[in-house]
Amino acid sequence: MATTVKIQVDGNNPVLALQGFLKGLLDDESIGGILVPVHLFEKGLPMPTLVTDSAKLSGADPLAPAFSMNSAKLLARLTRGQSGERIAAVLRPCEIRAFVELVKLNQGSLDDVVIVGVDCMGAYDNLSYKTFLGDADSFQATLDFHGLIGGEADTVRNGVDIASACQSCEHPAPQNADVVIGIAGAHLHESIPVMATSARGEALLSGLNLPDIESANGRDKTLESLIAARIVNRDAMLEKTKALTGTLTDLSEYLSACVNCYNCRVACPVCYCKECVFNTDVFEHKPWQYMEWAKRKGSLKMPTDTIFYHLTRMAHMSTACVGCGQCSNACPNGIPVMELFRTVAARTQESFDYEPGRSLDESPPLSVFKEDEFQETVSHMA
Amino acid sequence: MNNEFEPTILAFVCNWCTYTAADLAGTSRMVQQPNLRLVRMMCTGMVDPKYIVKSLLSGADGVLVSGCHPGDCHYINGNYKARRRVKLLNEILPQFGIEKERVKLTWVGASEGNEFAATVNNFINEIRELGPMEACSMAVV
């Protein structure tokens, strides 16, 4: 029987209430630290921060509509090997799903971590967050974004909207978390429901002595309509991107502003190679080679291998793409990278009946095989 | 397509089965069209999708991946892994107008020299029919 308790909100400030909740977690002797987005300065982006002293939680803002980076890789670093202490990590649903993928690849571990998932209402990309913030106090801005009831449909503030990845995300509710903070549909100025979704979460919550509530009123309904709206956005986005990239020439034009900086790969939480081939001397060609290639067609775009890079990344990680949109966030030239990769991922994931982050028991498609499958892929001569 | 188009085909073949079959086809003086460039791999299981992508972007009109029959892999299961990778490319490449017929996976055993020659000739004819890769005529790749 899953425990559902509530965090009492005083003074109309759910962020303060959540900080109190996190302090409670940190005071529990089983938890040595908490990874949570923290406002480290008055202005600017909240950054994922590993907090071990509860006094430092006064800057914590788990509800900030900012998504500076996908914390899955950070959590992988914190859990690969032993620290001797268990930590809690406050994550968005897409961060959890990416982390699950990394755990499957043995790049992180769930052994000593309690995942606290927060219903995600979306976030601005890093540049838009600045516009969203304007001159406002960052905490006040967070409160204004969420309004009175979690899951408000209108997310435009100061002329900017949440990232397109978030607008088309069909996973606003955390999967595979231990504890879920259910802000969707919650009356945020009264109380916030918290659900234990694993034995580990159950044990932790029961130690906090929070008051029970019957159910997270209205959460399911809010999530349902949120997901429905986002799926409509997603499908329109997929169609549009497909139409824009139907040929190699179109794809080349779509990526024409790409400067081969590989920021999208660095930002990608599931680009798992320890050393990327595109960073090796495989691509350090001799001057005469460039001259040869240029002469073949009369010209050669420099830097070379742009499409090759993106197609290779699609082959390597599209089955694990969680659609977090950090690739687009990281692109210095505003290429809609997320749209492209989600369009490819939709098809590759469907063809292997694979959904990244859904279950730890599902192996990444390219790490396994069956003897009797995909016969149509093999040609036979008569 | 016009009759002047002569396709360039790159073939990644495994050392133990298809390469041996290619050798056999050659020494048996079987007639094969000269459009194929063989790359001998130890196993089709080491053909990273990026090798195939790079070939298609750099001048190949078709790519053949050929290894041992299921159950015969020298490394137990490399050919099953190759099958998943080709399956993956079959899903990705057509989204950008690269016909999936340009990437062919076959199993040709060491003793099947005639099978190899037939596979090669058929594939070259198919690609000749299909025409050149779009990348060949693109200014920017």
Side-chain angles (χ1 to χ4, degrees), chain B residues 42-54:
Chain B
M42 287 312 286
C43 179
T44 50
M46 65 177 288
V47 180
D48 190 294
K50 68 176 171 277
Y51 301 168
I52 299 170
V53 171
K54 179 66 175 168

PDB file of all heavy atoms in Angstrom, chain B residues 42-54:
ATOM      1  N   MET B  42      37.229  -8.658 -39.264  1.00  0.00           N
ATOM      2  CA  MET B  42      37.312  -9.948 -38.583  1.00  0.00           C
ATOM      3  C   MET B  42      35.918 -10.539 -38.397  1.00  0.00           C
ATOM      4  O   MET B  42      35.742 -11.749 -38.367  1.00  0.00           O
ATOM      5  CB  MET B  42      38.016  -9.808 -37.227  1.00  0.00           C
ATOM      6  CG  MET B  42      39.515  -9.575 -37.355  1.00  0.00           C
ATOM      7  SD  MET B  42      40.333 -10.702 -38.492  1.00  0.00           S
ATOM      8  CE  MET B  42      40.342 -12.210 -37.530  1.00  0.00           C
ATOM      9  N   CYS B  43      34.905  -9.655 -38.264  1.00  0.00           N
ATOM     10  CA  CYS B  43      33.550 -10.143 -38.007  1.00  0.00           C
ATOM     11  C   CYS B  43      32.571  -9.030 -38.387  1.00  0.00           C
ATOM     12  O   CYS B  43      32.883  -7.853 -38.206  1.00  0.00           O
ATOM     13  CB  CYS B  43      33.401 -10.486 -36.514  1.00  0.00           C
ATOM     14  SG  CYS B  43      31.772 -11.083 -36.041  1.00  0.00           S
ATOM     15  N   THR B  44      31.378  -9.395 -38.883  1.00  0.00           N
ATOM     16  CA  THR B  44      30.382  -8.358 -39.167  1.00  0.00           C
ATOM     17  C   THR B  44      29.932  -7.677 -37.874  1.00  0.00           C
ATOM     18  O   THR B  44      29.428  -6.562 -37.898  1.00  0.00           O
ATOM     19  CB  THR B  44      29.144  -8.932 -39.872  1.00  0.00           C
ATOM     20  OG1 THR B  44      28.689 -10.072 -39.132  1.00  0.00           O
ATOM     21  CG2 THR B  44      29.449  -9.327 -41.296  1.00  0.00           C
ATOM     22  N   GLY B  45      30.147  -8.343 -36.747  1.00  0.00           N
ATOM     23  CA  GLY B  45      29.779  -7.765 -35.453  1.00  0.00           C
ATOM     24  C   GLY B  45      30.604  -6.551 -35.090  1.00  0.00           C
ATOM     25  O   GLY B  45      30.290  -5.850 -34.135  1.00  0.00           O
ATOM     26  N   MET B  46      31.682  -6.290 -35.850  1.00  0.00           N
ATOM     27  CA  MET B  46      32.474  -5.090 -35.561  1.00  0.00           C
ATOM     28  C   MET B  46      32.212  -3.982 -36.577  1.00  0.00           C
ATOM     29  O   MET B  46      32.933  -2.990 -36.616  1.00  0.00           O
ATOM     30  CB  MET B  46      33.965  -5.421 -35.478  1.00  0.00           C
ATOM     31  CG  MET B  46      34.580  -5.903 -36.760  1.00  0.00           C
ATOM     32  SD  MET B  46      36.369  -6.193 -36.607  1.00  0.00           S
ATOM     33  CE  MET B  46      36.998  -4.518 -36.507  1.00  0.00           C
ATOM     34  N   VAL B  47      31.185  -4.144 -37.382  1.00  0.00           N
ATOM     35  CA  VAL B  47      30.836  -3.089 -38.333  1.00  0.00           C
ATOM     36  C   VAL B  47      29.950  -2.071 -37.607  1.00  0.00           C
ATOM     37  O   VAL B  47      28.763  -2.275 -37.434  1.00  0.00           O
ATOM     38  CB  VAL B  47      30.113  -3.650 -39.570  1.00  0.00           C
ATOM     39  CG1 VAL B  47      29.760  -2.533 -40.530  1.00  0.00           C
ATOM     40  CG2 VAL B  47      30.985  -4.687 -40.266  1.00  0.00           C
ATOM     41  N   ASP B  48      30.561  -1.006 -37.157  1.00  0.00           N
ATOM     42  CA  ASP B  48      29.812   0.064 -36.490  1.00  0.00           C
ATOM     43  C   ASP B  48      28.921   0.728 -37.533  1.00  0.00           C
ATOM     44  O   ASP B  48      29.346   0.908 -38.679  1.00  0.00           O
ATOM     45  CB  ASP B  48      30.812   1.073 -35.905  1.00  0.00           C
ATOM     46  CG  ASP B  48      30.146   2.091 -34.987  1.00  0.00           C
ATOM     47  OD1 ASP B  48      29.337   2.895 -35.504  1.00  0.00           O
ATOM     48  OD2 ASP B  48      30.419   2.089 -33.783  1.00  0.00           O
ATOM     49  N   PRO B  49      27.695   1.111 -37.156  1.00  0.00           N
ATOM     50  CA  PRO B  49      26.821   1.794 -38.116  1.00  0.00           C
ATOM     51  C   PRO B  49      27.513   2.980 -38.796  1.00  0.00           C
ATOM     52  O   PRO B  49      27.227   3.305 -39.942  1.00  0.00           O
ATOM     53  CB  PRO B  49      25.647   2.270 -37.267  1.00  0.00           C
ATOM     54  CG  PRO B  49      25.626   1.365 -36.091  1.00  0.00           C
ATOM     55  CD  PRO B  49      27.039   0.915 -35.863  1.00  0.00           C
ATOM     56  N   LYS B  50      28.439   3.616 -38.072  1.00  0.00           N
ATOM     57  CA  LYS B  50      29.057   4.810 -38.656  1.00  0.00           C
ATOM     58  C   LYS B  50      29.934   4.474 -39.857  1.00  0.00           C
ATOM     59  O   LYS B  50      30.123   5.300 -40.736  1.00  0.00           O
ATOM     60  CB  LYS B  50      29.823   5.609 -37.610  1.00  0.00           C
ATOM     61  CG  LYS B  50      31.059   4.961 -37.056  1.00  0.00           C
ATOM     62  CD  LYS B  50      31.768   5.942 -36.103  1.00  0.00           C
ATOM     63  CE  LYS B  50      32.898   5.271 -35.349  1.00  0.00           C
ATOM     64  NZ  LYS B  50      32.420   4.534 -34.162  1.00  0.00           N
ATOM     65  N   TYR B  51      30.442   3.234 -39.939  1.00  0.00           N
ATOM     66  CA  TYR B  51      31.210   2.859 -41.131  1.00  0.00           C
ATOM     67  C   TYR B  51      30.316   2.907 -42.360  1.00  0.00           C
ATOM     68  O   TYR B  51      30.713   3.343 -43.437  1.00  0.00           O
ATOM     69  CB  TYR B  51      31.785   1.440 -41.007  1.00  0.00           C
ATOM     70  CG  TYR B  51      32.707   1.189 -39.835  1.00  0.00           C
ATOM     71  CD1 TYR B  51      33.078  -0.112 -39.499  1.00  0.00           C
ATOM     72  CD2 TYR B  51      33.232   2.236 -39.080  1.00  0.00           C
ATOM     73  CE1 TYR B  51      33.927  -0.368 -38.431  1.00  0.00           C
ATOM     74  CE2 TYR B  51      34.075   1.981 -38.014  1.00  0.00           C
ATOM     75  CZ  TYR B  51      34.415   0.675 -37.688  1.00  0.00           C
ATOM     76  OH  TYR B  51      35.243   0.425 -36.633  1.00  0.00           O
ATOM     77  N   ILE B  52      29.103   2.424 -42.175  1.00  0.00           N
ATOM     78  CA  ILE B  52      28.154   2.369 -43.290  1.00  0.00           C
ATOM     79  C   ILE B  52      27.715   3.782 -43.670  1.00  0.00           C
ATOM     80  O   ILE B  52      27.673   4.149 -44.845  1.00  0.00           O
ATOM     81  CB  ILE B  52      26.942   1.492 -42.906  1.00  0.00           C
ATOM     82  CG1 ILE B  52      27.417   0.062 -42.595  1.00  0.00           C
ATOM     83  CG2 ILE B  52      25.887   1.499 -44.002  1.00  0.00           C
ATOM     84  CD1 ILE B  52      26.376  -0.837 -41.989  1.00  0.00           C
ATOM     85  N   VAL B  53      27.419   4.587 -42.651  1.00  0.00           N
ATOM     86  CA  VAL B  53      26.991   5.967 -42.899  1.00  0.00           C
ATOM     87  C   VAL B  53      28.092   6.734 -43.621  1.00  0.00           C
ATOM     88  O   VAL B  53      27.858   7.420 -44.625  1.00  0.00           O
ATOM     89  CB  VAL B  53      26.639   6.667 -41.564  1.00  0.00           C
ATOM     90  CG1 VAL B  53      26.418   8.145 -41.780  1.00  0.00           C
ATOM     91  CG2 VAL B  53      25.412   6.032 -40.941  1.00  0.00           C
ATOM     92  N   LYS B  54      29.323   6.584 -43.123  1.00  0.00           N
ATOM     93  CA  LYS B  54      30.446   7.313 -43.716  1.00  0.00           C
ATOM     94  C   LYS B  54      30.639   6.895 -45.180  1.00  0.00           C
ATOM     95  O   LYS B  54      30.884   7.741 -46.051  1.00  0.00           O
ATOM     96  CB  LYS B  54      31.716   7.031 -42.899  1.00  0.00           C
ATOM     97  CG  LYS B  54      32.978   7.703 -43.422  1.00  0.00           C
ATOM     98  CD  LYS B  54      32.916   9.212 -43.312  1.00  0.00           C
ATOM     99  CE  LYS B  54      34.233   9.856 -43.716  1.00  0.00           C
ATOM    100  NZ  LYS B  54      34.081  11.308 -43.880  1.00  0.00           N
TER     101      LYS B  54
END
